Amino acid sequence: MQGAKATASAAAAATDDDDERREVRRAVEEKPVVVVGRRGCCMAHVARRLLLGQGANPAVLEVGDDVDPAALVDVAPQARRRKDGGKAGDDDGGAAALPAVFIGGRLVGGLDRLMAMHIAGELVPVLKQAGALWL
């Protein structure tokens, strides 16, 4: 009986992961800027505030603590191929960590990469290209 409960619990967790993954994929495809973070994550809040300060209005998706970040950020290659006409980009951040920032359907990386882009003056042009800024 306990084996059946464990199997049912694992199936429910897998369904929740699939639902969150679909939600992230849909947001990345539909929104110019998306921040995916754990519930209550201060780093996701900082990423959001940085983007708001630049004039972008990111969609923020909060996921549970038990979610595998690699499974969530794995949506980026599909969205990038669709938006770039089949070309794979090389700036996917290389890491499966949260918070994850997507701009224009492409995984930029985490907060550290977002801040580096901002300091280097690369963030605003990328946001403009993605249609997140109108100026």
Side-chain angles (χ1 to χ4, degrees):
M1 187 62 124
Q2 288 180 350
K5 284 183 182 180
T7 303
S9 176
T15 301
D16 289 344
D17 285 350
D18 288 342
D19 290 343
E20 287 181 330
R21 192 171 179 193
R22 273 193 292 274
E23 185 178 349
V24 170
R25 179 178 290 126
R26 184 178 18 252
V28 168
E29 290 173 349
E30 294 175 359
K31 308 285 184 185
V33 183
V34 178
V35 176
V36 180
R38 299 201 188 279
R39 288 183 186 93
C41 175
C42 62
M43 292 190 307
H45 176 74
V46 170
R48 178 181 173 270
R49 294 293 300 175
L50 175 61
L51 291 161
L52 284 170
Q54 300 307 305
N57 188 17
V60 179
L61 299 178
E62 293 183 335
V63 296
D65 292 334
D66 57 342
V67 171
D68 178 22
L72 290 179
V73 300
D74 202 23
V75 304
Q78 292 89 356
R80 184 171 48 248
R81 278 195 297 272
R82 204 170 291 111
K83 297 229 181 222
D84 290 348
K87 297 180 216 168
D90 59 348
D91 62 337
D92 63 348
L98 297 178
V101 179
F102 297 87
I103 300 176
R106 298 170 67 174
L107 176 62
V108 170
L111 178 60
D112 57 344
R113 177 71 179 119
L114 185 68
M115 291 177 71
M117 288 176 67
H118 172 60
I119 291 168
E122 300 168 355
L123 182 57
V124 170
V126 170
L127 289 170
K128 285 181 182 178
Q129 184 181 13
L133 299 179
W134 296 343
L135 301 175

